[in-house]
Amino acid sequence: MVDETPAILSLLKKQAEDRYITLAAAQKIALQNSTTLASVESLALQHSILPLRYKRNGLNSAEQLTLFKSTVAIIGCGGLGGRNAEILSRIGVGHLILTDPDIFSESNLNRQMFCTADNLGQEKVTVLERELQKINPALDTSLHCNHFDRSSILRADTVIDALDSAEARKELATLCQKEDIPLVHGAVNGWYGQLGVDNRTNSIINTLYQRTDGKTTAPRVVPMTVALIATMQATEACKLLLGKGTTIDKGWLQCDLYNGDFEVIEA
Amino acid sequence: MQVQVKLFAFFREGRFIKEDRELPEGCTVGEVVDTLNINREEIGVLMLNSRHCQFDTVLHEGDICAIFPVIGGG
């Protein structure tokens, strides 16, 4: 097989303006060379050429390449999971593993960003994959339309806990600790939410759910709480991916949107 | 004795965020929870002076007791 890399690189350099390559130009190069958009953009990033859509991230090409090479597993693709997926796709994470056994239903419309009146009844992971491709056509997705297992988190650099049951969260934390992958926890109820990063040292999820027997009813949740907590989860995930670590590794953040009260609880 | 009680998330609704309460000597954390009409099954975390505690932990003058519900939605 002929190595097309020098030819692609030369095209990239020729077409890049001020070290930015447009989506249309990268797609054309991929088509001409019978390769994928992702591999063209990967080559670009390795040579400090940024896809134009990342310009306003303000990240340098090394950071953008790190994100592109990263895999994030999103466990649960409802309110928290959907918005995490949207943010991580926009900033340029290269690979998302999406796990959720459910379909969109009408009661999801108030807070789940990819739920629309015309996709009710469709698998959440399938809808997400389709919509995320429109946001970031270079994104690679792996779908698991079932309850999570080891394959949902394997090879992930960071895992997002976007589940809705205490038992499942504890199960996921055990799995992630076993594989030594940081787990960015988020949970919501009404105008209130919490955020933490579970690892082998702090076991924050076991602290938060130590007393529960798993019996939970679907809580009321306003969309602002979901958007805020998911945004903060995606933020912590990106900082972990970029090697900046997390600022909430000892305890958890308690958020009260109704009273405008935010407090880090040191566990 | 006086104890400061701090409530979090939806436990604040119809109650308070933070309150100094006059309690009888020997009062436990669980009794405070019951007095506030909070269902014990809804409790996620109990802390006394920033350390984890249990329902049967006995309170003392000047303690700060924090009560957190389970928040489980996603």
Side-chain angles (χ1 to χ4, degrees), chain A residues 38-115:
Chain A
S39 55
V40 169
E41 290 195 345
S42 170
L43 188 66
L45 286 166
Q46 286 168 51
H47 293 84
S48 304
I49 297 170
L50 280 166
L52 182 59
R53 64 182 182 283
Y54 300 140
K55 185 177 183 180
R56 299 287 290 274
N57 277 344
L59 301 172
N60 62 41
S61 55
E63 291 172 320
Q64 211 60 72
L65 181 62
T66 300
L67 291 179
F68 179 78
K69 286 180 169 171
S70 297
T71 297
V72 176
I74 299 177
I75 312 300
C77 293
L80 293 175
R83 200 165 283 269
N84 266 286
E86 186 247 357
I87 295 170
L88 296 173
S89 303
R90 286 197 193 278
I91 200 168
V93 169
H95 183 206
L96 295 180
I97 309 170
L98 307 172
T99 299
D100 196 307
D102 281 343
I103 55 172
F104 280 120
S105 60
E106 200 166 331
S107 65
N108 298 155
L109 272 170
N110 80 317
R111 69 196 184 284
Q112 301 194 11
M113 70 171 304
F114 292 111
C115 180

Side-chain angles (χ1 to χ4, degrees), chain A residues 121-156:
Chain A
Q122 294 182 27
E123 286 173 359
K124 291 183 179 181
V125 292
T126 309
V127 171
L128 258 65
E129 179 180 56
R130 190 172 67 223
E131 296 304 314
L132 296 173
Q133 276 301 311
K134 296 178 192 169
I135 292 169
N136 189 344
L139 177 73
D140 182 23
T141 42
S142 305
L143 307 186
H144 298 257
C145 190
N146 50 330
H147 184 75
F148 68 88
D149 56 28
R150 191 164 167 267
S151 70
S152 307
I153 64 153
L154 222 53
R155 290 185 302 279

Side-chain angles (χ1 to χ4, degrees), chain A:
Chain A
M1 236 176 97
V2 187
D3 182 13
E4 305 287 355
T5 308
I8 297 174
L9 186 58
S10 133
L11 282 169
L12 276 167
K13 284 181 173 165
K14 207 154 76 183
Q15 308 232 2
E17 277 181 41
D18 192 24
R19 303 207 76 78
Y20 291 101
I21 187 85
T22 64
L23 186 54
Q27 277 169 331
K28 198 173 167 192
I29 293 171
L31 198 66
Q32 283 168 345
N33 291 274
S34 308
T35 186
T36 61
L37 173 67
S39 55
V40 169
E41 290 195 345
S42 170
L43 188 66
L45 286 166
Q46 286 168 51
H47 293 84
S48 304
I49 297 170
L50 280 166
L52 182 59
R53 64 182 182 283
Y54 300 140
K55 185 177 183 180
R56 299 287 290 274
N57 277 344
L59 301 172
N60 62 41
S61 55
E63 291 172 320
Q64 211 60 72
L65 181 62
T66 300
L67 291 179
F68 179 78
K69 286 180 169 171
S70 297
T71 297
V72 176
I74 299 177
I75 312 300
C77 293
L80 293 175
R83 200 165 283 269
N84 266 286
E86 186 247 357
I87 295 170
L88 296 173
S89 303
R90 286 197 193 278
I91 200 168
V93 169
H95 183 206
L96 295 180
I97 309 170
L98 307 172
T99 299
D100 196 307
D102 281 343
I103 55 172
F104 280 120
S105 60
E106 200 166 331
S107 65
N108 298 155
L109 272 170
N110 80 317
R111 69 196 184 284
Q112 301 194 11
M113 70 171 304
F114 292 111
C115 180
T116 58
D118 58 7
N119 67 26
L120 301 179
Q122 294 182 27
E123 286 173 359
K124 291 183 179 181
V125 292
T126 309
V127 171
L128 258 65
E129 179 180 56
R130 190 172 67 223
E131 296 304 314
L132 296 173
Q133 276 301 311
K134 296 178 192 169
I135 292 169
N136 189 344
L139 177 73
D140 182 23
T141 42
S142 305
L143 307 186
H144 298 257
C145 190
N146 50 330
H147 184 75
F148 68 88
D149 56 28
R150 191 164 167 267
S151 70
S152 307
I153 64 153
L154 222 53
R155 290 185 302 279
D157 300 292
T158 301
V159 178
I160 303 282
D161 166 17
L163 290 160
D164 58 4
S165 104
E167 285 312 299
R169 288 181 196 277
K170 286 193 272 193
E171 195 188 320
L172 179 61
T174 304
L175 206 55
C176 289
Q177 285 189 23
K178 206 168 161 188
E179 301 294 334
D180 203 13
I181 307 172
L183 174 61
V184 185
H185 163 73
V188 290
N189 184 314
W191 296 76
Y192 317 96
Q194 65 192 25
L195 177 83
V197 179
D198 186 276
N199 56 42
R200 287 174 175 179
T201 315
N202 65 28
S203 285
I204 207 69
I205 288 185
N206 265 322
T207 299
L208 291 167
Y209 298 102
Q210 58 190 317
R211 296 168 188 279
T212 53
D213 54 8
K215 281 185 286 177
T216 43
T217 49
R220 68 215 161 102
V221 190
V222 290
M224 301 80 80
T225 313
V226 174
L228 176 78
I229 298 297
T231 301
M232 296 179 95
Q233 283 182 287
T235 305
E236 294 312 307
C238 286
K239 291 194 299 193
L240 287 165
L241 295 175
L242 292 172
K244 296 182 198 305
T246 174
T247 42
I248 45 161
D249 56 349
K250 286 193 186 72
W252 74 95
L253 176 68
Q254 195 79 32
C255 304
D256 174 346
L257 278 78
Y258 197 76
N259 295 293
D261 182 43
F262 301 83
E263 194 173 332
V264 175
I265 312 296
E266 301 253 337

Side-chain angles (χ1 to χ4, degrees), chain B residues 51-66:
Chain B
R51 297 188 153 208
H52 290 277
C53 68
Q54 306 300 326
F55 287 118
D56 58 8
T57 303
V58 177
L59 295 161
H60 296 94
E61 170 72 29
D63 278 348
I64 300 171
C65 176

